[in-house]
Amino acid sequence: MRLTLLALVAVLVATGAAIAQSPASPAAGEITPALRAACEGDYKRLCAGVQPGGGRILQCLKTHGNEVSEGCRSALSEHRP
């Protein structure tokens, strides 16, 4: 019984470590924390009237691609949903 419990704990710890190390891919249209930080000012300036959800903010930022800051443009190009 004790050996089974120790084995179960070892599996759970290993699984938790593996999950913590693998980065989660953002869902389609989801804005990551890095993208939010890079584009917050551009969002407020160009897309403040856009209702969040359904990828609308991300689409607005992409539509204004030539007007966003260099940092936001770079973050948008690296964003892979």
Short mmCIF file of all heavy atoms in Angstrom, two decimals:
data_model
loop_
_atom_site.label_atom_id
_atom_site.label_comp_id
_atom_site.label_asym_id
_atom_site.label_seq_id
_atom_site.Cartn_x
_atom_site.Cartn_y
_atom_site.Cartn_z
N MET A 1 0.83 -1.20 0.00
CA MET A 1 0.00 0.00 0.00
C MET A 1 0.88 1.26 0.00
O MET A 1 0.61 2.18 -0.76
CB MET A 1 -0.92 -0.04 1.23
CG MET A 1 -1.68 1.21 1.48
SD MET A 1 -3.16 1.23 0.49
CE MET A 1 -3.98 2.60 1.16
N ARG A 2 1.86 1.26 0.87
CA ARG A 2 2.74 2.42 0.97
C ARG A 2 3.52 2.63 -0.32
O ARG A 2 3.70 3.75 -0.78
CB ARG A 2 3.68 2.22 2.15
CG ARG A 2 4.49 3.41 2.46
CD ARG A 2 5.34 3.17 3.67
NE ARG A 2 5.28 4.32 4.53
CZ ARG A 2 5.94 4.46 5.63
NH1 ARG A 2 6.71 3.48 6.04
NH2 ARG A 2 5.85 5.55 6.34
N LEU A 3 3.98 1.56 -0.93
CA LEU A 3 4.74 1.63 -2.18
C LEU A 3 3.85 2.16 -3.31
O LEU A 3 4.29 2.99 -4.11
CB LEU A 3 5.30 0.26 -2.54
CG LEU A 3 6.22 0.20 -3.74
CD1 LEU A 3 7.41 1.12 -3.55
CD2 LEU A 3 6.70 -1.21 -3.98
N THR A 4 2.60 1.73 -3.34
CA THR A 4 1.66 2.20 -4.35
C THR A 4 1.41 3.69 -4.19
O THR A 4 1.38 4.44 -5.17
CB THR A 4 0.32 1.44 -4.24
OG1 THR A 4 0.58 0.05 -4.35
CG2 THR A 4 -0.65 1.86 -5.31
N LEU A 5 1.26 4.14 -2.97
CA LEU A 5 1.03 5.55 -2.71
C LEU A 5 2.25 6.39 -3.13
O LEU A 5 2.10 7.43 -3.76
CB LEU A 5 0.73 5.77 -1.22
CG LEU A 5 0.44 7.21 -0.80
CD1 LEU A 5 -0.76 7.76 -1.56
CD2 LEU A 5 0.19 7.28 0.69
N LEU A 6 3.45 5.92 -2.83
CA LEU A 6 4.66 6.62 -3.23
C LEU A 6 4.79 6.68 -4.75
O LEU A 6 5.19 7.70 -5.31
CB LEU A 6 5.89 5.96 -2.62
CG LEU A 6 6.08 6.18 -1.12
CD1 LEU A 6 7.26 5.35 -0.61
CD2 LEU A 6 6.29 7.64 -0.81
N ALA A 7 4.44 5.60 -5.42
CA ALA A 7 4.50 5.58 -6.88
C ALA A 7 3.50 6.57 -7.47
O ALA A 7 3.81 7.29 -8.43
CB ALA A 7 4.23 4.17 -7.40
N LEU A 8 2.31 6.63 -6.90
CA LEU A 8 1.30 7.56 -7.37
C LEU A 8 1.76 9.01 -7.18
O LEU A 8 1.61 9.84 -8.08
CB LEU A 8 -0.03 7.33 -6.64
CG LEU A 8 -1.17 8.26 -7.00
CD1 LEU A 8 -1.51 8.13 -8.48
CD2 LEU A 8 -2.39 7.96 -6.15
N VAL A 9 2.34 9.31 -6.05
CA VAL A 9 2.84 10.66 -5.78
C VAL A 9 3.94 11.00 -6.78
O VAL A 9 3.98 12.11 -7.32
CB VAL A 9 3.34 10.78 -4.32
CG1 VAL A 9 4.13 12.07 -4.12
CG2 VAL A 9 2.17 10.71 -3.36
N ALA A 10 4.84 10.07 -7.06
CA ALA A 10 5.92 10.30 -8.01
C ALA A 10 5.38 10.61 -9.40
O ALA A 10 5.87 11.51 -10.09
CB ALA A 10 6.86 9.10 -8.06
N VAL A 11 4.36 9.89 -9.83
CA VAL A 11 3.76 10.13 -11.15
C VAL A 11 3.10 11.50 -11.19
O VAL A 11 3.24 12.24 -12.16
CB VAL A 11 2.74 9.01 -11.49
CG1 VAL A 11 1.91 9.38 -12.70
CG2 VAL A 11 3.46 7.70 -11.71
N LEU A 12 2.39 11.87 -10.15
CA LEU A 12 1.73 13.17 -10.11
C LEU A 12 2.74 14.31 -10.11
O LEU A 12 2.55 15.32 -10.80
CB LEU A 12 0.82 13.27 -8.88
CG LEU A 12 -0.43 12.39 -8.90
CD1 LEU A 12 -1.16 12.49 -7.57
CD2 LEU A 12 -1.34 12.78 -10.04
N VAL A 13 3.83 14.17 -9.40
CA VAL A 13 4.86 15.21 -9.37
C VAL A 13 5.50 15.33 -10.75
O VAL A 13 5.70 16.43 -11.26
CB VAL A 13 5.92 14.90 -8.29
CG1 VAL A 13 7.15 15.78 -8.45
CG2 VAL A 13 5.32 15.08 -6.90
N ALA A 14 5.81 14.21 -11.38
CA ALA A 14 6.43 14.24 -12.71
C ALA A 14 5.48 14.86 -13.73
O ALA A 14 5.90 15.64 -14.58
CB ALA A 14 6.83 12.83 -13.13
N THR A 15 4.22 14.53 -13.66
CA THR A 15 3.23 15.09 -14.58
C THR A 15 3.09 16.59 -14.38
O THR A 15 3.05 17.36 -15.34
CB THR A 15 1.86 14.41 -14.39
OG1 THR A 15 2.02 13.01 -14.57
CG2 THR A 15 0.83 14.94 -15.36
N GLY A 16 3.05 17.03 -13.14
CA GLY A 16 2.95 18.46 -12.85
C GLY A 16 4.15 19.23 -13.35
O GLY A 16 4.02 20.32 -13.90
N ALA A 17 5.34 18.67 -13.22
CA ALA A 17 6.55 19.33 -13.70
C ALA A 17 6.53 19.43 -15.22
O ALA A 17 6.92 20.45 -15.79
CB ALA A 17 7.79 18.57 -13.23
N ALA A 18 6.07 18.40 -15.89
CA ALA A 18 6.01 18.42 -17.35
C ALA A 18 5.01 19.45 -17.84
O ALA A 18 5.26 20.18 -18.80
CB ALA A 18 5.64 17.03 -17.88
N ILE A 19 3.89 19.55 -17.17
CA ILE A 19 2.88 20.53 -17.55
C ILE A 19 3.40 21.94 -17.32
O ILE A 19 3.20 22.83 -18.14
CB ILE A 19 1.56 20.29 -16.78
CG1 ILE A 19 0.90 19.01 -17.28
CG2 ILE A 19 0.61 21.46 -16.93
CD1 ILE A 19 -0.28 18.56 -16.45
N ALA A 20 4.09 22.16 -16.23
CA ALA A 20 4.60 23.50 -15.92
C ALA A 20 5.66 23.95 -16.91
O ALA A 20 5.81 25.13 -17.16
CB ALA A 20 5.18 23.50 -14.51
N GLN A 21 6.38 23.01 -17.52
CA GLN A 21 7.44 23.36 -18.45
C GLN A 21 6.95 23.58 -19.86
O GLN A 21 7.61 24.24 -20.65
CB GLN A 21 8.52 22.28 -18.46
CG GLN A 21 9.29 22.23 -17.17
CD GLN A 21 10.30 21.10 -17.16
OE1 GLN A 21 10.40 20.34 -18.11
NE2 GLN A 21 11.03 20.99 -16.07
N SER A 22 5.81 23.04 -20.24
CA SER A 22 5.33 23.19 -21.60
C SER A 22 4.45 24.43 -21.71
O SER A 22 3.45 24.55 -21.02
CB SER A 22 4.54 21.94 -22.04
OG SER A 22 3.41 21.79 -21.23
N PRO A 23 4.85 25.39 -22.57
CA PRO A 23 4.05 26.60 -22.71
C PRO A 23 2.72 26.30 -23.39
O PRO A 23 2.68 25.55 -24.35
CB PRO A 23 4.92 27.51 -23.58
CG PRO A 23 5.81 26.57 -24.33
CD PRO A 23 6.00 25.37 -23.45
N ALA A 24 1.68 26.87 -22.87
CA ALA A 24 0.36 26.68 -23.47
C ALA A 24 0.23 27.59 -24.68
O ALA A 24 0.61 28.75 -24.65
CB ALA A 24 -0.72 27.01 -22.45
N SER A 25 -0.29 27.06 -25.74
CA SER A 25 -0.52 27.86 -26.94
C SER A 25 -1.79 28.67 -26.75
O SER A 25 -2.79 28.13 -26.28
CB SER A 25 -0.67 26.95 -28.17
OG SER A 25 0.51 26.24 -28.39
N PRO A 26 -1.76 29.94 -27.11
CA PRO A 26 -2.98 30.73 -26.97
C PRO A 26 -4.04 30.26 -27.95
O PRO A 26 -3.73 29.82 -29.05
CB PRO A 26 -2.52 32.15 -27.29
CG PRO A 26 -1.26 32.00 -28.07
CD PRO A 26 -0.65 30.70 -27.64
N ALA A 27 -5.27 30.36 -27.54
CA ALA A 27 -6.38 30.02 -28.43
C ALA A 27 -6.47 31.07 -29.53
O ALA A 27 -5.95 32.18 -29.40
CB ALA A 27 -7.67 29.97 -27.63
N ALA A 28 -7.10 30.71 -30.61
CA ALA A 28 -7.26 31.65 -31.72
C ALA A 28 -7.93 32.92 -31.22
O ALA A 28 -8.96 32.87 -30.56
CB ALA A 28 -8.09 31.01 -32.82
N GLY A 29 -7.33 34.06 -31.52
CA GLY A 29 -7.88 35.35 -31.12
C GLY A 29 -7.56 35.76 -29.71
O GLY A 29 -7.90 36.85 -29.29
N GLU A 30 -6.86 34.89 -28.96
CA GLU A 30 -6.52 35.22 -27.58
C GLU A 30 -5.28 36.11 -27.54
O GLU A 30 -4.31 35.88 -28.25
CB GLU A 30 -6.24 33.93 -26.80
CG GLU A 30 -5.93 34.16 -25.36
CD GLU A 30 -5.71 32.87 -24.61
OE1 GLU A 30 -6.39 31.88 -24.91
OE2 GLU A 30 -4.85 32.86 -23.74
N ILE A 31 -5.34 37.11 -26.70
CA ILE A 31 -4.21 38.03 -26.55
C ILE A 31 -3.38 37.57 -25.36
O ILE A 31 -3.88 37.48 -24.25
CB ILE A 31 -4.70 39.47 -26.37
CG1 ILE A 31 -5.43 39.92 -27.63
CG2 ILE A 31 -3.54 40.41 -26.05
CD1 ILE A 31 -5.98 41.31 -27.58
N THR A 32 -2.12 37.27 -25.62
CA THR A 32 -1.21 36.81 -24.57
C THR A 32 -0.78 37.99 -23.70
O THR A 32 -0.89 39.15 -24.12
CB THR A 32 0.02 36.15 -25.20
OG1 THR A 32 0.72 37.14 -25.97
CG2 THR A 32 -0.35 34.96 -26.07
N PRO A 33 -0.26 37.71 -22.50
CA PRO A 33 0.22 38.80 -21.65
C PRO A 33 1.32 39.63 -22.34
O PRO A 33 1.35 40.86 -22.19
CB PRO A 33 0.76 38.07 -20.42
CG PRO A 33 -0.06 36.82 -20.34
CD PRO A 33 -0.27 36.43 -21.78
N ALA A 34 2.21 39.00 -23.09
CA ALA A 34 3.27 39.73 -23.78
C ALA A 34 2.68 40.65 -24.84
O ALA A 34 3.11 41.80 -24.99
CB ALA A 34 4.26 38.75 -24.41
N LEU A 35 1.71 40.16 -25.58
CA LEU A 35 1.07 40.98 -26.62
C LEU A 35 0.30 42.13 -25.99
O LEU A 35 0.35 43.26 -26.46
CB LEU A 35 0.14 40.11 -27.48
CG LEU A 35 -0.49 40.77 -28.68
CD1 LEU A 35 0.58 41.24 -29.66
CD2 LEU A 35 -1.43 39.79 -29.38
N ARG A 36 -0.37 41.86 -24.88
CA ARG A 36 -1.12 42.90 -24.17
C ARG A 36 -0.17 44.01 -23.71
O ARG A 36 -0.46 45.19 -23.89
CB ARG A 36 -1.86 42.30 -22.97
CG ARG A 36 -2.67 43.32 -22.19
CD ARG A 36 -3.38 42.70 -21.00
NE ARG A 36 -4.19 41.56 -21.35
CZ ARG A 36 -5.45 41.63 -21.76
NH1 ARG A 36 -6.03 42.80 -21.87
NH2 ARG A 36 -6.13 40.55 -22.06
N ALA A 37 0.96 43.63 -23.14
CA ALA A 37 1.92 44.62 -22.65
C ALA A 37 2.48 45.46 -23.80
O ALA A 37 2.63 46.68 -23.67
CB ALA A 37 3.06 43.91 -21.90
N ALA A 38 2.77 44.82 -24.92
CA ALA A 38 3.38 45.53 -26.05
C ALA A 38 2.38 46.43 -26.77
O ALA A 38 2.78 47.44 -27.35
CB ALA A 38 3.97 44.52 -27.04
N CYS A 39 1.11 46.07 -26.75
CA CYS A 39 0.12 46.78 -27.57
C CYS A 39 -0.92 47.57 -26.78
O CYS A 39 -1.85 48.11 -27.38
CB CYS A 39 -0.59 45.78 -28.48
SG CYS A 39 0.48 44.94 -29.65
N GLU A 40 -0.77 47.67 -25.48
CA GLU A 40 -1.81 48.32 -24.68
C GLU A 40 -2.07 49.77 -25.12
O GLU A 40 -3.21 50.18 -25.29
CB GLU A 40 -1.45 48.28 -23.20
CG GLU A 40 -2.55 48.84 -22.32
CD GLU A 40 -2.27 48.65 -20.85
OE1 GLU A 40 -1.18 48.20 -20.48
OE2 GLU A 40 -3.16 48.98 -20.06
N GLY A 41 -1.00 50.53 -25.33
CA GLY A 41 -1.17 51.92 -25.76
C GLY A 41 -1.81 52.02 -27.13
O GLY A 41 -2.65 52.89 -27.38
N ASP A 42 -1.42 51.12 -28.03
CA ASP A 42 -1.98 51.11 -29.38
C ASP A 42 -3.46 50.73 -29.35
O ASP A 42 -4.27 51.30 -30.07
CB ASP A 42 -1.21 50.13 -30.27
CG ASP A 42 0.23 50.53 -30.42
OD1 ASP A 42 0.49 51.58 -31.03
OD2 ASP A 42 1.11 49.81 -29.92
N TYR A 43 -3.80 49.79 -28.47
CA TYR A 43 -5.20 49.40 -28.31
C TYR A 43 -6.02 50.61 -27.86
O TYR A 43 -7.07 50.91 -28.44
CB TYR A 43 -5.34 48.26 -27.31
CG TYR A 43 -6.74 48.13 -26.76
CD1 TYR A 43 -7.76 47.64 -27.55
CD2 TYR A 43 -7.05 48.56 -25.47
CE1 TYR A 43 -9.06 47.55 -27.06
CE2 TYR A 43 -8.32 48.48 -24.97
CZ TYR A 43 -9.33 47.98 -25.77
OH TYR A 43 -10.61 47.90 -25.30
N LYS A 44 -5.52 51.30 -26.84
CA LYS A 44 -6.26 52.45 -26.32
C LYS A 44 -6.41 53.55 -27.36
O LYS A 44 -7.43 54.22 -27.43
CB LYS A 44 -5.58 53.00 -25.07
CG LYS A 44 -5.71 52.10 -23.87
CD LYS A 44 -4.96 52.66 -22.67
CE LYS A 44 -5.10 51.74 -21.47
NZ LYS A 44 -4.32 52.24 -20.32
N ARG A 45 -5.39 53.72 -28.18
CA ARG A 45 -5.40 54.78 -29.19
C ARG A 45 -6.22 54.41 -30.42
O ARG A 45 -6.94 55.24 -30.98
CB ARG A 45 -3.95 55.08 -29.58
CG ARG A 45 -3.77 56.23 -30.55
CD ARG A 45 -2.30 56.59 -30.71
NE ARG A 45 -1.43 55.47 -31.00
CZ ARG A 45 -1.13 55.04 -32.23
NH1 ARG A 45 -1.66 55.63 -33.28
NH2 ARG A 45 -0.31 54.03 -32.41
N LEU A 46 -6.14 53.17 -30.86
CA LEU A 46 -6.73 52.78 -32.15
C LEU A 46 -7.98 51.91 -32.05
O LEU A 46 -8.78 51.89 -32.99
CB LEU A 46 -5.68 52.03 -32.99
CG LEU A 46 -4.40 52.80 -33.31
CD1 LEU A 46 -3.35 51.86 -33.86
CD2 LEU A 46 -4.71 53.91 -34.29
N CYS A 47 -8.12 51.17 -30.95
CA CYS A 47 -9.18 50.15 -30.91
C CYS A 47 -10.03 50.22 -29.64
O CYS A 47 -10.69 49.25 -29.28
CB CYS A 47 -8.56 48.76 -31.01
SG CYS A 47 -7.52 48.51 -32.47
N ALA A 48 -10.04 51.36 -28.97
CA ALA A 48 -10.75 51.48 -27.70
C ALA A 48 -12.25 51.18 -27.83
O ALA A 48 -12.86 50.68 -26.91
CB ALA A 48 -10.55 52.87 -27.11
N GLY A 49 -12.83 51.46 -28.97
CA GLY A 49 -14.26 51.23 -29.15
C GLY A 49 -14.62 49.82 -29.56
O GLY A 49 -15.80 49.49 -29.71
N VAL A 50 -13.63 48.96 -29.71
CA VAL A 50 -13.88 47.59 -30.14
C VAL A 50 -14.26 46.74 -28.94
O VAL A 50 -13.58 46.73 -27.92
CB VAL A 50 -12.61 47.01 -30.83
CG1 VAL A 50 -12.81 45.55 -31.18
CG2 VAL A 50 -12.27 47.82 -32.06
N GLN A 51 -15.36 46.00 -29.08
CA GLN A 51 -15.83 45.13 -28.01
C GLN A 51 -14.93 43.90 -27.91
O GLN A 51 -14.69 43.23 -28.92
CB GLN A 51 -17.27 44.70 -28.27
CG GLN A 51 -17.84 43.81 -27.18
CD GLN A 51 -19.26 43.38 -27.49
OE1 GLN A 51 -19.81 43.69 -28.54
NE2 GLN A 51 -19.86 42.67 -26.56
N PRO A 52 -14.41 43.60 -26.71
CA PRO A 52 -13.56 42.42 -26.55
C PRO A 52 -14.30 41.13 -26.83
O PRO A 52 -15.51 41.04 -26.66
CB PRO A 52 -13.15 42.48 -25.07
CG PRO A 52 -13.38 43.89 -24.65
CD PRO A 52 -14.53 44.38 -25.49
N GLY A 53 -13.56 40.13 -27.27
CA GLY A 53 -14.12 38.81 -27.53
C GLY A 53 -14.13 38.48 -29.00
O GLY A 53 -14.19 39.37 -29.86
N GLY A 54 -14.00 37.22 -29.29
CA GLY A 54 -14.08 36.76 -30.67
C GLY A 54 -12.90 37.18 -31.54
O GLY A 54 -13.00 37.15 -32.75
N GLY A 55 -11.80 37.60 -30.91
CA GLY A 55 -10.63 38.01 -31.68
C GLY A 55 -10.74 39.40 -32.30
O GLY A 55 -9.91 39.77 -33.13
N ARG A 56 -11.75 40.18 -31.89
CA ARG A 56 -11.97 41.49 -32.50
C ARG A 56 -10.84 42.48 -32.21
O ARG A 56 -10.45 43.25 -33.09
CB ARG A 56 -13.32 42.06 -32.04
CG ARG A 56 -14.51 41.34 -32.66
CD ARG A 56 -15.83 42.00 -32.26
NE ARG A 56 -16.18 41.69 -30.89
CZ ARG A 56 -16.93 40.66 -30.52
NH1 ARG A 56 -17.39 39.82 -31.44
NH2 ARG A 56 -17.22 40.44 -29.25
N ILE A 57 -10.30 42.46 -31.00
CA ILE A 57 -9.22 43.39 -30.67
C ILE A 57 -7.97 43.04 -31.47
O ILE A 57 -7.32 43.92 -32.05
CB ILE A 57 -8.93 43.39 -29.16
CG1 ILE A 57 -10.11 44.00 -28.41
CG2 ILE A 57 -7.63 44.14 -28.85
CD1 ILE A 57 -10.02 43.91 -26.90
N LEU A 58 -7.64 41.77 -31.53
CA LEU A 58 -6.48 41.33 -32.31
C LEU A 58 -6.65 41.71 -33.78
O LEU A 58 -5.72 42.21 -34.41
CB LEU A 58 -6.30 39.82 -32.16
CG LEU A 58 -5.04 39.21 -32.70
CD1 LEU A 58 -3.81 39.87 -32.12
CD2 LEU A 58 -5.03 37.73 -32.42
N GLN A 59 -7.84 41.53 -34.31
CA GLN A 59 -8.10 41.90 -35.70
C GLN A 59 -7.97 43.40 -35.90
O GLN A 59 -7.43 43.86 -36.91
CB GLN A 59 -9.50 41.43 -36.13
CG GLN A 59 -9.79 41.68 -37.59
CD GLN A 59 -8.79 41.00 -38.51
OE1 GLN A 59 -8.47 39.84 -38.34
NE2 GLN A 59 -8.29 41.73 -39.49
N CYS A 60 -8.46 44.19 -34.94
CA CYS A 60 -8.33 45.64 -35.04
C CYS A 60 -6.87 46.06 -35.07
O CYS A 60 -6.47 46.88 -35.89
CB CYS A 60 -9.05 46.31 -33.87
SG CYS A 60 -8.88 48.11 -33.85
N LEU A 61 -6.06 45.48 -34.19
CA LEU A 61 -4.64 45.82 -34.16
C LEU A 61 -3.97 45.44 -35.48
O LEU A 61 -3.14 46.19 -36.00
CB LEU A 61 -3.95 45.12 -32.98
CG LEU A 61 -4.33 45.66 -31.59
CD1 LEU A 61 -3.80 44.74 -30.50
CD2 LEU A 61 -3.83 47.07 -31.40
N LYS A 62 -4.33 44.29 -36.02
CA LYS A 62 -3.75 43.86 -37.30
C LYS A 62 -4.20 44.77 -38.44
O LYS A 62 -3.42 45.09 -39.34
CB LYS A 62 -4.12 42.41 -37.59
CG LYS A 62 -3.38 41.43 -36.71
CD LYS A 62 -3.77 40.01 -37.03
CE LYS A 62 -3.02 39.02 -36.16
NZ LYS A 62 -3.38 37.63 -36.48
N THR A 63 -5.45 45.22 -38.39
CA THR A 63 -5.97 46.13 -39.41
C THR A 63 -5.19 47.44 -39.41
O THR A 63 -4.96 48.03 -40.46
CB THR A 63 -7.47 46.40 -39.17
OG1 THR A 63 -8.17 45.15 -39.27
CG2 THR A 63 -8.03 47.37 -40.19
N HIS A 64 -4.80 47.89 -38.22
CA HIS A 64 -4.04 49.13 -38.08
C HIS A 64 -2.54 48.85 -38.02
O HIS A 64 -1.78 49.63 -37.42
CB HIS A 64 -4.48 49.87 -36.81
CG HIS A 64 -5.87 50.40 -36.88
ND1 HIS A 64 -6.19 51.54 -37.59
CD2 HIS A 64 -7.02 49.95 -36.34
CE1 HIS A 64 -7.49 51.76 -37.47
NE2 HIS A 64 -8.02 50.81 -36.73
N GLY A 65 -2.11 47.80 -38.66
CA GLY A 65 -0.71 47.35 -38.59
C GLY A 65 0.31 48.41 -38.92
O GLY A 65 1.38 48.44 -38.32
N ASN A 66 -0.01 49.30 -39.84
CA ASN A 66 0.95 50.34 -40.20
C ASN A 66 0.90 51.54 -39.25
O ASN A 66 1.71 52.45 -39.36
CB ASN A 66 0.74 50.81 -41.65
CG ASN A 66 -0.65 51.35 -41.89
OD1 ASN A 66 -1.56 51.11 -41.11
ND2 ASN A 66 -0.81 52.07 -42.98
N GLU A 67 -0.05 51.54 -38.31
CA GLU A 67 -0.19 52.65 -37.37
C GLU A 67 0.25 52.28 -35.95
O GLU A 67 0.39 53.17 -35.12
CB GLU A 67 -1.65 53.10 -37.31
CG GLU A 67 -2.20 53.59 -38.64
CD GLU A 67 -3.69 53.83 -38.57
OE1 GLU A 67 -4.09 54.70 -37.77
OE2 GLU A 67 -4.44 53.14 -39.29
N VAL A 68 0.44 50.99 -35.68
CA VAL A 68 0.81 50.58 -34.32
C VAL A 68 2.30 50.83 -34.09
O VAL A 68 3.08 50.98 -35.03
CB VAL A 68 0.48 49.09 -34.06
CG1 VAL A 68 -1.02 48.85 -34.16
CG2 VAL A 68 1.24 48.17 -34.98
N SER A 69 2.69 50.86 -32.83
CA SER A 69 4.09 51.08 -32.47
C SER A 69 4.95 49.91 -32.94
O SER A 69 4.44 48.81 -33.22
CB SER A 69 4.21 51.23 -30.94
OG SER A 69 3.85 50.01 -30.31
N GLU A 70 6.24 50.14 -33.00
CA GLU A 70 7.16 49.09 -33.45
C GLU A 70 7.11 47.88 -32.51
O GLU A 70 7.13 46.75 -32.96
CB GLU A 70 8.59 49.64 -33.52
CG GLU A 70 9.59 48.64 -34.06
CD GLU A 70 9.27 48.15 -35.47
OE1 GLU A 70 8.81 48.95 -36.30
OE2 GLU A 70 9.48 46.95 -35.73
N GLY A 71 7.02 48.13 -31.20
CA GLY A 71 6.94 47.03 -30.24
C GLY A 71 5.70 46.19 -30.44
O GLY A 71 5.74 44.96 -30.38
N CYS A 72 4.57 46.85 -30.69
CA CYS A 72 3.33 46.12 -30.93
C CYS A 72 3.40 45.37 -32.25
O CYS A 72 2.99 44.21 -32.34
CB CYS A 72 2.15 47.09 -30.93
SG CYS A 72 0.54 46.31 -31.16
N ARG A 73 3.96 46.00 -33.27
CA ARG A 73 4.10 45.35 -34.58
C ARG A 73 4.94 44.08 -34.45
O ARG A 73 4.61 43.04 -34.99
CB ARG A 73 4.71 46.31 -35.58
CG ARG A 73 4.74 45.78 -37.00
CD ARG A 73 5.29 46.79 -38.01
NE ARG A 73 4.50 48.02 -38.01
CZ ARG A 73 4.97 49.22 -37.66
NH1 ARG A 73 6.22 49.37 -37.31
NH2 ARG A 73 4.18 50.27 -37.69
N SER A 74 6.02 44.18 -33.70
CA SER A 74 6.89 43.02 -33.49
C SER A 74 6.16 41.92 -32.73
O SER A 74 6.24 40.75 -33.08
CB SER A 74 8.13 43.46 -32.71
OG SER A 74 8.94 42.38 -32.42
N ALA A 75 5.42 42.31 -31.67
CA ALA A 75 4.66 41.32 -30.89
C ALA A 75 3.58 40.66 -31.73
O ALA A 75 3.34 39.46 -31.62
CB ALA A 75 4.05 41.99 -29.65
N LEU A 76 2.93 41.43 -32.60
CA LEU A 76 1.91 40.87 -33.49
C LEU A 76 2.53 39.87 -34.47
O LEU A 76 1.92 38.83 -34.76
CB LEU A 76 1.20 41.98 -34.27
CG LEU A 76 0.19 42.82 -33.50
CD1 LEU A 76 -0.23 44.04 -34.31
CD2 LEU A 76 -1.03 41.99 -33.12
N SER A 77 3.72 40.16 -34.96
CA SER A 77 4.35 39.25 -35.92
C SER A 77 4.80 37.96 -35.24
O SER A 77 4.86 36.92 -35.89
CB SER A 77 5.52 39.93 -36.63
OG SER A 77 6.58 40.13 -35.73
N GLU A 78 5.10 38.02 -33.96
CA GLU A 78 5.53 36.83 -33.21
C GLU A 78 4.36 36.06 -32.64
O GLU A 78 4.52 34.93 -32.20
CB GLU A 78 6.47 37.23 -32.08
CG GLU A 78 7.78 37.80 -32.57
CD GLU A 78 8.64 38.35 -31.45
OE1 GLU A 78 8.30 38.17 -30.27
OE2 GLU A 78 9.65 38.98 -31.76
N HIS A 79 3.17 36.64 -32.61
CA HIS A 79 1.97 36.02 -32.03
C HIS A 79 1.52 34.87 -32.91
O HIS A 79 1.19 35.05 -34.07
CB HIS A 79 0.86 37.06 -31.89
CG HIS A 79 -0.38 36.52 -31.27
ND1 HIS A 79 -0.46 36.19 -29.93
CD2 HIS A 79 -1.58 36.24 -31.79
CE1 HIS A 79 -1.67 35.75 -29.67
NE2 HIS A 79 -2.36 35.76 -30.79
N ARG A 80 1.53 33.67 -32.35
CA ARG A 80 1.09 32.49 -33.08
C ARG A 80 -0.01 31.77 -32.31
O ARG A 80 0.27 31.03 -31.38
CB ARG A 80 2.27 31.51 -33.26
CG ARG A 80 3.44 32.09 -34.00
CD ARG A 80 3.15 32.18 -35.49
NE ARG A 80 4.31 32.73 -36.18
CZ ARG A 80 4.32 33.89 -36.80
NH1 ARG A 80 3.26 34.65 -36.81
NH2 ARG A 80 5.40 34.29 -37.43
N PRO A 81 -1.26 32.03 -32.66
CA PRO A 81 -2.36 31.36 -31.95
C PRO A 81 -2.43 29.88 -32.27
O PRO A 81 -1.88 29.43 -33.21
CB PRO A 81 -3.61 32.07 -32.44
CG PRO A 81 -3.23 32.81 -33.64
CD PRO A 81 -1.74 32.94 -33.65
#
